[in-house]
Amino acid sequence: MRLTTLFTLPRVLRHSDAIGAGLPPDEAVVLDAPDPSLRVALAAAAAGDHAPAAELLALTREHAQWERRDTCVTRLARASLHHPGWLDSWLEESPEDPDAVLVKADQYICQAWQIRTGARAKHVEADQFRAFHAVLRDSVPVISAAAELNPDDPVPWRVALTQARGIQAPRDVFDSYLAEANARDPHHEGCHVQALQYLCDKWYGSHEEMFAFAERAAGQAPPGSRLHALPLQAVVEYLIADEEADGPDHTARAEAAVTRAQALSDSYAPGDREAAGFRNHLALVLWSMNRYEEALTAFRSIGVHATTFPWTYFGEPRAEFLEARSDTRVELAMKVPFFRPSPSPPPPARPNGSASWHHGRSPSPPPAPPRWRRPP
């Protein structure tokens, strides 16, 4: 055991519980918890009944709830890989239902990535790549049908953008798909996330392209839009890039992205499921930058809602989330002298509807760059 650990262990034992006050216990944390109506649809689908899924997606289409629709389609598509009968019967009953066809289109994408896995290309076997590309090619007519059956819907174009990335589509194809998505919803989060993936260094772009795209989208987004946190997703991609990669330092951009995401988080209620995605990114980035007090604030705002991304980049996502949260408490406890009273928990946070937005303006970089800590 290190000598520093021997000196600080009593502090951790004395103060960590108080520092962690307000955090839900580990056993309460859930991964990608669906809202009640989606939970009902998923449970019914597992039992072979497509009616609740059809009702749910019809409502999202009729009310143009594109972000919610995107989330529901993806979860239902993943569920259909394990319980395909309900989707097959839905399509047999209504072969031109735009909702059923859209789930089928996304099912192809989920199946393809299940074959490929999320590993870097150098770790994917040749036969995996052949099967991956075959499934993606088979998806083309179904994606086209989904887009034609509901012409106002941006979600088929999110599916198309994901397919384009996997199939190694050239830039002009990617640009045309993104233009189609933007014509339907210029601030659709799912389409922008997929575009950012295409433009990141590990796929077909660069750190510079990725950050520029994310910052431009955030600068054009309306107040409250989750696109204000898109630069934060770029920070995560920058963080996980190969350490030996050369290029300019993007620390100042990372600081600006964190500031913007914190302002966005302040505009949502604590524990809001809709904010869970970007808040999990925020907690990871702050923890990686050793900004533990701010990371603890982010973990408190998350509540029980852990998300697969970005934690899945480093291992089993729920376990990685809990480990980073625990480490944050330990790091803060080690800084409190043993005989000093334990810190009091902050008062419950409230959403700030007048959050400050930094459109196109980055705060001055800190006197010294943060010490990046890359998860193992």
Side-chain angles (χ1 to χ4, degrees), residues 33 50 53 79 85 90 108 266 268 337 357 363 367:
H50 65 266
W90 187 7
Y108 277 103
D266 288 345
Y268 282 80
W357 305 104

Side-chain angles (χ1 to χ4, degrees), residues 191-271:
C191 293
H192 281 79
V193 169
Q194 288 306 316
L196 183 142
Q197 286 293 314
Y198 185 99
L199 294 171
C200 73
D201 181 74
K202 70 184 180 186
W203 285 95
Y204 310 117
S206 64
H207 293 323
E208 176 60 38
E209 272 190 295
M210 172 185 66
F211 272 110
F213 172 79
E215 289 161 356
R216 184 167 59 252
Q220 296 170 350
S225 168
R226 291 186 304 225
L227 284 186
H228 285 282
L230 193 65
L232 193 70
Q233 296 201 29
V235 174
V236 172
E237 294 298 332
Y238 177 58
L239 173 65
I240 67 173
D242 292 336
E243 292 192 54
E244 64 269 17
D246 296 325
D249 181 17
H250 293 282
T251 297
R253 296 177 113 160
E255 293 284 344
V258 167
T259 299
R260 186 189 289 271
Q262 287 174 318
L264 179 64
S265 182
D266 288 345
S267 71
Y268 282 80

Side-chain angles (χ1 to χ4, degrees), residues 3 18 51 102 153 166 222 246 267 273 276-277 279 318:
L3 190 59
L102 180 56
D153 189 353
D246 296 325
S267 71
R273 185 187 287 105
R279 280 174 168 166
R318 185 176 179 276

Side-chain angles (χ1 to χ4, degrees), residues 2-326:
R2 294 182 303 169
L3 190 59
T4 54
T5 304
L6 289 173
F7 281 126
T8 57
L9 181 60
R11 301 181 189 180
V12 173
L13 296 175
R14 175 173 167 77
H15 299 302
S16 63
D17 284 347
I19 287 173
L23 292 173
D26 287 3
E27 58 270 21
V29 172
V30 290
L31 189 68
D32 300 329
D35 64 36
S37 56
L38 178 56
R39 184 181 299 113
V40 169
L42 291 168
D49 180 9
H50 65 266
E55 181 180 355
L56 173 60
L57 292 183
L59 285 173
T60 64
R61 172 167 44 84
E62 291 163 7
H63 295 285
Q65 297 172 333
W66 303 132
E67 299 288 5
R68 174 162 167 68
R69 180 175 178 81
D70 202 351
T71 298
C72 293
V73 165
T74 297
R75 293 297 297 272
L76 289 165
R78 289 175 183 165
S80 71
L81 294 179
H82 305 288
H83 305 281
W86 64 273
L87 181 56
D88 294 340
S89 63
W90 187 7
L91 287 164
E92 289 173 7
E93 179 183 303
S94 306
E96 295 191 356
D97 185 313
D99 306 323
V101 174
L102 180 56
V103 175
K104 182 64 178 180
D106 213 15
Q107 183 197 63
Y108 277 103
I109 302 303
C110 295
Q111 181 184 10
W113 249 269
Q114 187 179 70
I115 293 168
R116 185 198 182 280
T117 75
R120 291 295 181 97
K122 62 185 177 182
H123 301 303
V124 179
E125 300 293 336
D127 59 344
Q128 286 177 274
F129 267 125
R130 283 192 292 270
F132 173 63
H133 289 139
V135 173
L136 290 177
R137 286 192 297 271
D138 291 344
S139 73
V140 172
V142 187
I143 298 172
S144 298
E148 292 169 2
L149 287 167
N150 194 20
D152 295 332
D153 189 353
V155 181
W157 297 100
R158 188 271 301 164
V159 180
L161 284 164
T162 314
Q163 193 267 359
R165 174 161 56 93
I167 209 70
Q168 301 177 335
R171 181 61 61 89
D172 61 337
V173 173
F174 163 79
D175 288 339
S176 68
Y177 289 175
L178 183 58
E180 294 284 359
N182 286 336
R184 288 154 177 82
D185 184 351
H187 308 299
H188 187 269
E189 183 186 26
C191 293
H192 281 79
V193 169
Q194 288 306 316
L196 183 142
Q197 286 293 314
Y198 185 99
L199 294 171
C200 73
D201 181 74
K202 70 184 180 186
W203 285 95
Y204 310 117
S206 64
H207 293 323
E208 176 60 38
E209 272 190 295
M210 172 185 66
F211 272 110
F213 172 79
E215 289 161 356
R216 184 167 59 252
Q220 296 170 350
S225 168
R226 291 186 304 225
L227 284 186
H228 285 282
L230 193 65
L232 193 70
Q233 296 201 29
V235 174
V236 172
E237 294 298 332
Y238 177 58
L239 173 65
I240 67 173
D242 292 336
E243 292 192 54
E244 64 269 17
D246 296 325
D249 181 17
H250 293 282
T251 297
R253 296 177 113 160
E255 293 284 344
V258 167
T259 299
R260 186 189 289 271
Q262 287 174 318
L264 179 64
S265 182
D266 288 345
S267 71
Y268 282 80
D272 192 329
R273 185 187 287 105
E274 297 299 316
F278 73 80
R279 280 174 168 166
N280 275 258
H281 282 77
L282 180 60
L284 170 66
V285 171
L286 289 168
W287 174 78
S288 298
M289 297 168 74
N290 300 327
R291 291 165 58 169
Y292 298 114
E293 290 185 6
E294 294 165 279
L296 185 63
T297 298
F299 279 118
R300 282 200 175 100
S301 71
I302 290 166
V304 300
H305 295 297
T307 56
T308 295
F309 288 96
W311 306 103
T312 192
Y313 283 140
F314 313 110
E316 197 284 315
R318 185 176 179 276
E320 294 293 334
F321 172 90
L322 293 174
E323 183 176 346
R325 194 179 70 161
S326 174

